[in-house]
């Protein structure tokens, strides 16, 4: 790469924002890129700084919060709440929706996020990520309310994730394709590395937790068998246990990620608002699809901010096949 074709995320965001834009959405994405750099720096030092281990809290999902989750949550809230661009937030780590404190100016957007997805992988040095979605407020004249936060994925104006892996990558879409930026650690800049990402026509992977396969319903078992026995294309099974990492690998190489319902998880495990919907939005922007087995994940209006949903997401034909198998269950 020569210096003349290096495009930073800031440059790309400014160049691609529509003429009528006021820069608010661009500003939020840039704030998230900054949060990503801070979280990435801390993640890299996690093994050294004794920030691993459990914080004292149990989060509202009943999972023990790891210290890095708390840190990432705090960084995102602090960096974005005073920007004047948001009027509400939802975080996986906070029980209620988060209003913008009255001392700060309010903006027109709602930010929903999972600060550190895959956090049970932190202490074994495996890729983790941040997922985010951005909605427009329903009523510009108000300061933001719960209803603003309960919008279906179809109304997202932007979504993305940051993957803390061998490199740190920020991948986002604001409705004009999916673009990926890799953090150059020596420059401290996200550089455009993957423009207009599309799922390859020939997928390579399927990603399910096989520990629960035997406990799945007959149509789900039949679907997984179909994936396993497919010959053209031949799929390899890979499962990280961090949805961001599984999704990213499948986006680049093609494939399907699934977390269906199971007897112990009647609603699945993945959260609709700040995990499934943003990734389904990216999937559609990249030519793929996300479903709960019956409906597009983007059409489901959340009833509460932490709602769980079964998920199948990736190459469209692999995901639609899940719908076909599940239709036989009815
Ligand atoms: P954690 O953030 O608690 O590690 O959960 C991650 C996650 O929600 C998602 O990122 C993974 O795909 C999924 O859980 C893995 O769950 P299993 O361990 O049950 O397969």
């Amino acid at each position: 790469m020569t210096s003349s074709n290096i495009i930073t995320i800031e440059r790309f965001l400014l160049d691609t924002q529509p003429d009528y834009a006021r820069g608010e959405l661009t500003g939020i994405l840039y704030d998230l890129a900054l949060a990503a750099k801070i979280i990435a720096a801390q993640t890299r030092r996690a093994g050294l700084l004794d920030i691993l281990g459990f914080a004292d809290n149990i989060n509202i999902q009943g999972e023990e919060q790891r210290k890095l989750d708390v840190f990432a949550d705090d960084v995102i809230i602090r960096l974005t709440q005073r920007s004047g661009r948001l009027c509400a937030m939802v975080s996986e780590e906070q029980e209620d929706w988060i209003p913008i404190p009255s001392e700060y100016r309010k903006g027109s957007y709602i930010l929903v996020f999972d600060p550190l997805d895959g956090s049970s992988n932190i202490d074994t040095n495996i890729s983790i990520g941040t997922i985010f979605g951005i909605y427009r407020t329903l009523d510009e004249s108000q300061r933001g309310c719960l209803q603003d936060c309960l919008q279906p994925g179809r109304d997202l104006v932007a979504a993305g994730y940051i993957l803390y892996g061998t490199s740190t990558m920020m991948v986002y879409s604001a409705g004009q394709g999916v673009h990926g930026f890799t953090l150059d650690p020596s420059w401290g800049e996200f550089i455009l590395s993957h423009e207009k990402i599309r799922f390859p026509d020939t997928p390579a992977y399927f990603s399910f937790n096989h520990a629960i396969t035997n406990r799945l319903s007959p149509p789900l078992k039949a679907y997984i068998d179909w994936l396993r026995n497919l010959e053209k294309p031949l799929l390899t099974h890979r499962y990280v246990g961090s949805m961001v990492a599984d999704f990213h690998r499948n986006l680049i190489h093609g494939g399907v990620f699934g977390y269906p319902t199971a007897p112990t998880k009647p609603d699945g495990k993945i959260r609709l608002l700040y995990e499934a919907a943003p990734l389904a939005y990216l999937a559609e922007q990249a030519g793929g699809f996300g479903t709960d087995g019956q409906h597009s994940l983007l059409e489901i209006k959340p009833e509460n901010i932490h709602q769980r949903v079964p998920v199948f997401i990736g190459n469209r034909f692999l995901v639609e096949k899940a719908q076909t198998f599940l239709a036989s269950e009815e």
Side-chain angles (χ1 to χ4, degrees), residues 73-100:
D73 190 45
D74 205 43
V75 166
I76 295 172
I77 294 173
R78 279 169 193 256
L79 266 178
T80 53
Q81 70 179 357
R82 60 176 67 202
S83 67
R85 298 172 179 126
L86 297 177
C87 63
M89 282 186 254
V90 171
S91 163
E92 191 208 15
E93 301 298 339
Q94 308 281 334
E95 182 164 2
D96 294 320
W97 69 279
I98 308 161
I100 301 303

PDB file of all heavy atoms in Angstrom, residues 73-100:
ATOM      1  N   ASP A  73     -17.843  -1.185  28.451  1.00  0.00           N
ATOM      2  CA  ASP A  73     -19.150  -0.542  28.615  1.00  0.00           C
ATOM      3  C   ASP A  73     -18.961   0.927  29.005  1.00  0.00           C
ATOM      4  O   ASP A  73     -19.561   1.838  28.425  1.00  0.00           O
ATOM      5  CB  ASP A  73     -19.907  -1.323  29.712  1.00  0.00           C
ATOM      6  CG  ASP A  73     -21.347  -0.922  29.816  1.00  0.00           C
ATOM      7  OD1 ASP A  73     -22.003  -0.795  28.766  1.00  0.00           O
ATOM      8  OD2 ASP A  73     -21.842  -0.751  30.951  1.00  0.00           O
ATOM      9  N   ASP A  74     -18.099   1.123  29.983  1.00  0.00           N
ATOM     10  CA  ASP A  74     -17.836   2.452  30.505  1.00  0.00           C
ATOM     11  C   ASP A  74     -17.236   3.374  29.432  1.00  0.00           C
ATOM     12  O   ASP A  74     -17.646   4.525  29.291  1.00  0.00           O
ATOM     13  CB  ASP A  74     -16.831   2.263  31.661  1.00  0.00           C
ATOM     14  CG  ASP A  74     -16.927   3.378  32.643  1.00  0.00           C
ATOM     15  OD1 ASP A  74     -18.060   3.763  32.958  1.00  0.00           O
ATOM     16  OD2 ASP A  74     -15.861   3.882  33.068  1.00  0.00           O
ATOM     17  N   VAL A  75     -16.290   2.846  28.671  1.00  0.00           N
ATOM     18  CA  VAL A  75     -15.627   3.656  27.631  1.00  0.00           C
ATOM     19  C   VAL A  75     -16.659   4.118  26.599  1.00  0.00           C
ATOM     20  O   VAL A  75     -16.711   5.295  26.234  1.00  0.00           O
ATOM     21  CB  VAL A  75     -14.505   2.833  26.932  1.00  0.00           C
ATOM     22  CG1 VAL A  75     -14.048   3.519  25.645  1.00  0.00           C
ATOM     23  CG2 VAL A  75     -13.327   2.641  27.870  1.00  0.00           C
ATOM     24  N   ILE A  76     -17.506   3.191  26.152  1.00  0.00           N
ATOM     25  CA  ILE A  76     -18.464   3.559  25.099  1.00  0.00           C
ATOM     26  C   ILE A  76     -19.461   4.585  25.625  1.00  0.00           C
ATOM     27  O   ILE A  76     -19.750   5.590  24.963  1.00  0.00           O
ATOM     28  CB  ILE A  76     -19.170   2.297  24.549  1.00  0.00           C
ATOM     29  CG1 ILE A  76     -18.149   1.399  23.844  1.00  0.00           C
ATOM     30  CG2 ILE A  76     -20.298   2.681  23.579  1.00  0.00           C
ATOM     31  CD1 ILE A  76     -18.663   0.038  23.430  1.00  0.00           C
ATOM     32  N   ILE A  77     -19.975   4.364  26.832  1.00  0.00           N
ATOM     33  CA  ILE A  77     -20.960   5.312  27.375  1.00  0.00           C
ATOM     34  C   ILE A  77     -20.320   6.693  27.559  1.00  0.00           C
ATOM     35  O   ILE A  77     -20.851   7.712  27.114  1.00  0.00           O
ATOM     36  CB  ILE A  77     -21.565   4.788  28.696  1.00  0.00           C
ATOM     37  CG1 ILE A  77     -22.386   3.526  28.409  1.00  0.00           C
ATOM     38  CG2 ILE A  77     -22.423   5.859  29.372  1.00  0.00           C
ATOM     39  CD1 ILE A  77     -22.905   2.803  29.633  1.00  0.00           C
ATOM     40  N   ARG A  78     -19.151   6.741  28.197  1.00  0.00           N
ATOM     41  CA  ARG A  78     -18.519   8.041  28.464  1.00  0.00           C
ATOM     42  C   ARG A  78     -18.159   8.786  27.187  1.00  0.00           C
ATOM     43  O   ARG A  78     -18.285  10.003  27.105  1.00  0.00           O
ATOM     44  CB  ARG A  78     -17.234   7.844  29.280  1.00  0.00           C
ATOM     45  CG  ARG A  78     -17.484   7.656  30.748  1.00  0.00           C
ATOM     46  CD  ARG A  78     -16.191   7.201  31.384  1.00  0.00           C
ATOM     47  NE  ARG A  78     -16.438   6.710  32.717  1.00  0.00           N
ATOM     48  CZ  ARG A  78     -16.146   7.407  33.805  1.00  0.00           C
ATOM     49  NH1 ARG A  78     -15.608   8.596  33.714  1.00  0.00           N
ATOM     50  NH2 ARG A  78     -16.395   6.891  34.986  1.00  0.00           N
ATOM     51  N   LEU A  79     -17.679   8.041  26.173  1.00  0.00           N
ATOM     52  CA  LEU A  79     -17.243   8.718  24.943  1.00  0.00           C
ATOM     53  C   LEU A  79     -18.399   9.245  24.115  1.00  0.00           C
ATOM     54  O   LEU A  79     -18.237  10.167  23.337  1.00  0.00           O
ATOM     55  CB  LEU A  79     -16.449   7.740  24.082  1.00  0.00           C
ATOM     56  CG  LEU A  79     -14.947   7.752  24.253  1.00  0.00           C
ATOM     57  CD1 LEU A  79     -14.309   6.698  23.362  1.00  0.00           C
ATOM     58  CD2 LEU A  79     -14.400   9.119  23.887  1.00  0.00           C
ATOM     59  N   THR A  80     -19.569   8.601  24.241  1.00  0.00           N
ATOM     60  CA  THR A  80     -20.653   8.973  23.324  1.00  0.00           C
ATOM     61  C   THR A  80     -21.733   9.836  23.979  1.00  0.00           C
ATOM     62  O   THR A  80     -22.402  10.594  23.281  1.00  0.00           O
ATOM     63  CB  THR A  80     -21.321   7.712  22.732  1.00  0.00           C
ATOM     64  OG1 THR A  80     -21.710   6.855  23.789  1.00  0.00           O
ATOM     65  CG2 THR A  80     -20.378   6.968  21.809  1.00  0.00           C
ATOM     66  N   GLN A  81     -21.895   9.745  25.304  1.00  0.00           N
ATOM     67  CA  GLN A  81     -23.065  10.401  25.908  1.00  0.00           C
ATOM     68  C   GLN A  81     -22.985  11.925  25.886  1.00  0.00           C
ATOM     69  O   GLN A  81     -23.996  12.607  25.886  1.00  0.00           O
ATOM     70  CB  GLN A  81     -23.311   9.895  27.329  1.00  0.00           C
ATOM     71  CG  GLN A  81     -22.277  10.330  28.343  1.00  0.00           C
ATOM     72  CD  GLN A  81     -22.598   9.819  29.738  1.00  0.00           C
ATOM     73  OE1 GLN A  81     -23.612   9.177  29.971  1.00  0.00           O
ATOM     74  NE2 GLN A  81     -21.730  10.114  30.692  1.00  0.00           N
ATOM     75  N   ARG A  82     -21.761  12.472  25.852  1.00  0.00           N
ATOM     76  CA  ARG A  82     -21.650  13.928  25.886  1.00  0.00           C
ATOM     77  C   ARG A  82     -21.434  14.541  24.494  1.00  0.00           C
ATOM     78  O   ARG A  82     -21.138  15.712  24.365  1.00  0.00           O
ATOM     79  CB  ARG A  82     -20.534  14.349  26.833  1.00  0.00           C
ATOM     80  CG  ARG A  82     -19.166  13.810  26.464  1.00  0.00           C
ATOM     81  CD  ARG A  82     -18.093  14.337  27.389  1.00  0.00           C
ATOM     82  NE  ARG A  82     -18.254  13.826  28.750  1.00  0.00           N
ATOM     83  CZ  ARG A  82     -17.751  14.429  29.823  1.00  0.00           C
ATOM     84  NH1 ARG A  82     -17.085  15.553  29.721  1.00  0.00           N
ATOM     85  NH2 ARG A  82     -17.917  13.897  31.023  1.00  0.00           N
ATOM     86  N   SER A  83     -21.575  13.698  23.453  1.00  0.00           N
ATOM     87  CA  SER A  83     -21.266  14.172  22.099  1.00  0.00           C
ATOM     88  C   SER A  83     -22.375  15.050  21.512  1.00  0.00           C
ATOM     89  O   SER A  83     -22.179  15.729  20.517  1.00  0.00           O
ATOM     90  CB  SER A  83     -21.053  12.970  21.171  1.00  0.00           C
ATOM     91  OG  SER A  83     -22.283  12.270  21.021  1.00  0.00           O
ATOM     92  N   GLY A  84     -23.570  14.987  22.117  1.00  0.00           N
ATOM     93  CA  GLY A  84     -24.697  15.755  21.569  1.00  0.00           C
ATOM     94  C   GLY A  84     -25.333  15.073  20.369  1.00  0.00           C
ATOM     95  O   GLY A  84     -26.148  15.667  19.665  1.00  0.00           O
ATOM     96  N   ARG A  85     -24.940  13.820  20.116  1.00  0.00           N
ATOM     97  CA  ARG A  85     -25.455  13.122  18.918  1.00  0.00           C
ATOM     98  C   ARG A  85     -26.485  12.065  19.264  1.00  0.00           C
ATOM     99  O   ARG A  85     -27.162  11.551  18.396  1.00  0.00           O
ATOM    100  CB  ARG A  85     -24.302  12.459  18.171  1.00  0.00           C
ATOM    101  CG  ARG A  85     -23.295  13.472  17.682  1.00  0.00           C
ATOM    102  CD  ARG A  85     -22.063  12.815  17.105  1.00  0.00           C
ATOM    103  NE  ARG A  85     -21.147  13.837  16.643  1.00  0.00           N
ATOM    104  CZ  ARG A  85     -19.877  13.926  17.001  1.00  0.00           C
ATOM    105  NH1 ARG A  85     -19.347  13.041  17.816  1.00  0.00           N
ATOM    106  NH2 ARG A  85     -19.127  14.899  16.543  1.00  0.00           N
ATOM    107  N   LEU A  86     -26.549  11.674  20.538  1.00  0.00           N
ATOM    108  CA  LEU A  86     -27.434  10.576  20.944  1.00  0.00           C
ATOM    109  C   LEU A  86     -28.543  11.080  21.849  1.00  0.00           C
ATOM    110  O   LEU A  86     -28.367  12.077  22.564  1.00  0.00           O
ATOM    111  CB  LEU A  86     -26.631   9.513  21.706  1.00  0.00           C
ATOM    112  CG  LEU A  86     -25.522   8.795  20.938  1.00  0.00           C
ATOM    113  CD1 LEU A  86     -24.774   7.839  21.861  1.00  0.00           C
ATOM    114  CD2 LEU A  86     -26.091   8.045  19.743  1.00  0.00           C
ATOM    115  N   CYS A  87     -29.673  10.358  21.828  1.00  0.00           N
ATOM    116  CA  CYS A  87     -30.722  10.694  22.790  1.00  0.00           C
ATOM    117  C   CYS A  87     -31.055   9.494  23.678  1.00  0.00           C
ATOM    118  O   CYS A  87     -31.848   9.621  24.615  1.00  0.00           O
ATOM    119  CB  CYS A  87     -31.959  11.237  22.103  1.00  0.00           C
ATOM    120  SG  CYS A  87     -32.734  10.067  21.016  1.00  0.00           S
ATOM    121  N   ALA A  88     -30.466   8.341  23.416  1.00  0.00           N
ATOM    122  CA  ALA A  88     -30.662   7.164  24.287  1.00  0.00           C
ATOM    123  C   ALA A  88     -29.656   6.097  23.893  1.00  0.00           C
ATOM    124  O   ALA A  88     -29.136   6.113  22.768  1.00  0.00           O
ATOM    125  CB  ALA A  88     -32.082   6.615  24.116  1.00  0.00           C
ATOM    126  N   MET A  89     -29.404   5.199  24.843  1.00  0.00           N
ATOM    127  CA  MET A  89     -28.509   4.061  24.556  1.00  0.00           C
ATOM    128  C   MET A  89     -29.067   2.820  25.221  1.00  0.00           C
ATOM    129  O   MET A  89     -29.815   2.900  26.198  1.00  0.00           O
ATOM    130  CB  MET A  89     -27.122   4.304  25.158  1.00  0.00           C
ATOM    131  CG  MET A  89     -26.257   5.232  24.377  1.00  0.00           C
ATOM    132  SD  MET A  89     -24.600   5.287  25.112  1.00  0.00           S
ATOM    133  CE  MET A  89     -24.647   6.880  25.873  1.00  0.00           C
ATOM    134  N   VAL A  90     -28.653   1.667  24.700  1.00  0.00           N
ATOM    135  CA  VAL A  90     -28.924   0.381  25.360  1.00  0.00           C
ATOM    136  C   VAL A  90     -27.620  -0.391  25.326  1.00  0.00           C
ATOM    137  O   VAL A  90     -26.970  -0.485  24.274  1.00  0.00           O
ATOM    138  CB  VAL A  90     -30.005  -0.427  24.613  1.00  0.00           C
ATOM    139  CG1 VAL A  90     -30.099  -1.837  25.182  1.00  0.00           C
ATOM    140  CG2 VAL A  90     -31.364   0.264  24.686  1.00  0.00           C
ATOM    141  N   SER A  91     -27.229  -0.937  26.479  1.00  0.00           N
ATOM    142  CA  SER A  91     -26.030  -1.778  26.541  1.00  0.00           C
ATOM    143  C   SER A  91     -26.395  -3.137  27.114  1.00  0.00           C
ATOM    144  O   SER A  91     -27.252  -3.223  28.001  1.00  0.00           O
ATOM    145  CB  SER A  91     -24.986  -1.116  27.450  1.00  0.00           C
ATOM    146  OG  SER A  91     -24.017  -2.067  27.831  1.00  0.00           O
ATOM    147  N   GLU A  92     -25.730  -4.166  26.644  1.00  0.00           N
ATOM    148  CA  GLU A  92     -25.973  -5.489  27.213  1.00  0.00           C
ATOM    149  C   GLU A  92     -25.719  -5.493  28.715  1.00  0.00           C
ATOM    150  O   GLU A  92     -26.341  -6.234  29.459  1.00  0.00           O
ATOM    151  CB  GLU A  92     -25.071  -6.552  26.557  1.00  0.00           C
ATOM    152  CG  GLU A  92     -25.496  -7.956  26.951  1.00  0.00           C
ATOM    153  CD  GLU A  92     -24.400  -9.000  26.959  1.00  0.00           C
ATOM    154  OE1 GLU A  92     -23.209  -8.644  26.938  1.00  0.00           O
ATOM    155  OE2 GLU A  92     -24.750 -10.185  26.996  1.00  0.00           O
ATOM    156  N   GLU A  93     -24.798  -4.650  29.147  1.00  0.00           N
ATOM    157  CA  GLU A  93     -24.388  -4.691  30.557  1.00  0.00           C
ATOM    158  C   GLU A  93     -25.276  -3.872  31.488  1.00  0.00           C
ATOM    159  O   GLU A  93     -25.052  -3.862  32.693  1.00  0.00           O
ATOM    160  CB  GLU A  93     -22.938  -4.195  30.686  1.00  0.00           C
ATOM    161  CG  GLU A  93     -21.937  -5.009  29.895  1.00  0.00           C
ATOM    162  CD  GLU A  93     -21.857  -6.469  30.339  1.00  0.00           C
ATOM    163  OE1 GLU A  93     -22.263  -6.779  31.472  1.00  0.00           O
ATOM    164  OE2 GLU A  93     -21.418  -7.299  29.526  1.00  0.00           O
ATOM    165  N   GLN A  94     -26.245  -3.152  30.947  1.00  0.00           N
ATOM    166  CA  GLN A  94     -27.080  -2.293  31.794  1.00  0.00           C
ATOM    167  C   GLN A  94     -28.517  -2.773  31.749  1.00  0.00           C
ATOM    168  O   GLN A  94     -29.055  -3.000  30.667  1.00  0.00           O
ATOM    169  CB  GLN A  94     -27.036  -0.840  31.293  1.00  0.00           C
ATOM    170  CG  GLN A  94     -25.643  -0.284  31.106  1.00  0.00           C
ATOM    171  CD  GLN A  94     -24.999   0.144  32.411  1.00  0.00           C
ATOM    172  OE1 GLN A  94     -25.698   0.478  33.374  1.00  0.00           O
ATOM    173  NE2 GLN A  94     -23.682   0.126  32.453  1.00  0.00           N
ATOM    174  N   GLU A  95     -29.127  -2.866  32.929  1.00  0.00           N
ATOM    175  CA  GLU A  95     -30.478  -3.424  33.010  1.00  0.00           C
ATOM    176  C   GLU A  95     -31.502  -2.594  32.243  1.00  0.00           C
ATOM    177  O   GLU A  95     -32.335  -3.123  31.518  1.00  0.00           O
ATOM    178  CB  GLU A  95     -30.887  -3.516  34.486  1.00  0.00           C
ATOM    179  CG  GLU A  95     -32.251  -4.123  34.662  1.00  0.00           C
ATOM    180  CD  GLU A  95     -32.520  -4.567  36.082  1.00  0.00           C
ATOM    181  OE1 GLU A  95     -31.649  -4.362  36.951  1.00  0.00           O
ATOM    182  OE2 GLU A  95     -33.611  -5.111  36.310  1.00  0.00           O
ATOM    183  N   ASP A  96     -31.431  -1.278  32.411  1.00  0.00           N
ATOM    184  CA  ASP A  96     -32.422  -0.399  31.769  1.00  0.00           C
ATOM    185  C   ASP A  96     -31.783   0.335  30.598  1.00  0.00           C
ATOM    186  O   ASP A  96     -30.555   0.429  30.509  1.00  0.00           O
ATOM    187  CB  ASP A  96     -32.923   0.633  32.777  1.00  0.00           C
ATOM    188  CG  ASP A  96     -33.696  -0.058  33.896  1.00  0.00           C
ATOM    189  OD1 ASP A  96     -34.455  -0.999  33.592  1.00  0.00           O
ATOM    190  OD2 ASP A  96     -33.496   0.318  35.062  1.00  0.00           O
ATOM    191  N   TRP A  97     -32.628   0.925  29.747  1.00  0.00           N
ATOM    192  CA  TRP A  97     -32.095   1.775  28.691  1.00  0.00           C
ATOM    193  C   TRP A  97     -31.409   2.971  29.350  1.00  0.00           C
ATOM    194  O   TRP A  97     -31.707   3.324  30.501  1.00  0.00           O
ATOM    195  CB  TRP A  97     -33.199   2.193  27.718  1.00  0.00           C
ATOM    196  CG  TRP A  97     -34.214   3.137  28.276  1.00  0.00           C
ATOM    197  CD1 TRP A  97     -35.281   2.820  29.058  1.00  0.00           C
ATOM    198  CD2 TRP A  97     -34.235   4.558  28.114  1.00  0.00           C
ATOM    199  NE1 TRP A  97     -35.973   3.948  29.384  1.00  0.00           N
ATOM    200  CE2 TRP A  97     -35.354   5.035  28.817  1.00  0.00           C
ATOM    201  CE3 TRP A  97     -33.433   5.479  27.440  1.00  0.00           C
ATOM    202  CZ2 TRP A  97     -35.679   6.393  28.872  1.00  0.00           C
ATOM    203  CZ3 TRP A  97     -33.759   6.828  27.490  1.00  0.00           C
ATOM    204  CH2 TRP A  97     -34.869   7.267  28.195  1.00  0.00           C
ATOM    205  N   ILE A  98     -30.479   3.586  28.636  1.00  0.00           N
ATOM    206  CA  ILE A  98     -29.634   4.617  29.249  1.00  0.00           C
ATOM    207  C   ILE A  98     -30.018   5.989  28.679  1.00  0.00           C
ATOM    208  O   ILE A  98     -29.804   6.257  27.490  1.00  0.00           O
ATOM    209  CB  ILE A  98     -28.139   4.350  28.941  1.00  0.00           C
ATOM    210  CG1 ILE A  98     -27.776   2.905  29.308  1.00  0.00           C
ATOM    211  CG2 ILE A  98     -27.234   5.356  29.629  1.00  0.00           C
ATOM    212  CD1 ILE A  98     -26.496   2.402  28.639  1.00  0.00           C
ATOM    213  N   PRO A  99     -30.587   6.859  29.511  1.00  0.00           N
ATOM    214  CA  PRO A  99     -30.895   8.207  29.000  1.00  0.00           C
ATOM    215  C   PRO A  99     -29.612   9.045  28.910  1.00  0.00           C
ATOM    216  O   PRO A  99     -28.614   8.728  29.559  1.00  0.00           O
ATOM    217  CB  PRO A  99     -31.838   8.788  30.062  1.00  0.00           C
ATOM    218  CG  PRO A  99     -31.726   7.907  31.256  1.00  0.00           C
ATOM    219  CD  PRO A  99     -30.961   6.663  30.904  1.00  0.00           C
ATOM    220  N   ILE A 100     -29.621  10.088  28.108  1.00  0.00           N
ATOM    221  CA  ILE A 100     -28.482  11.008  28.069  1.00  0.00           C
ATOM    222  C   ILE A 100     -28.667  11.995  29.227  1.00  0.00           C
ATOM    223  O   ILE A 100     -29.733  12.612  29.347  1.00  0.00           O
ATOM    224  CB  ILE A 100     -28.442  11.771  26.714  1.00  0.00           C
ATOM    225  CG1 ILE A 100     -28.343  10.772  25.551  1.00  0.00           C
ATOM    226  CG2 ILE A 100     -27.304  12.788  26.677  1.00  0.00           C
ATOM    227  CD1 ILE A 100     -27.163   9.813  25.589  1.00  0.00           C
TER     228      ILE A 100
END
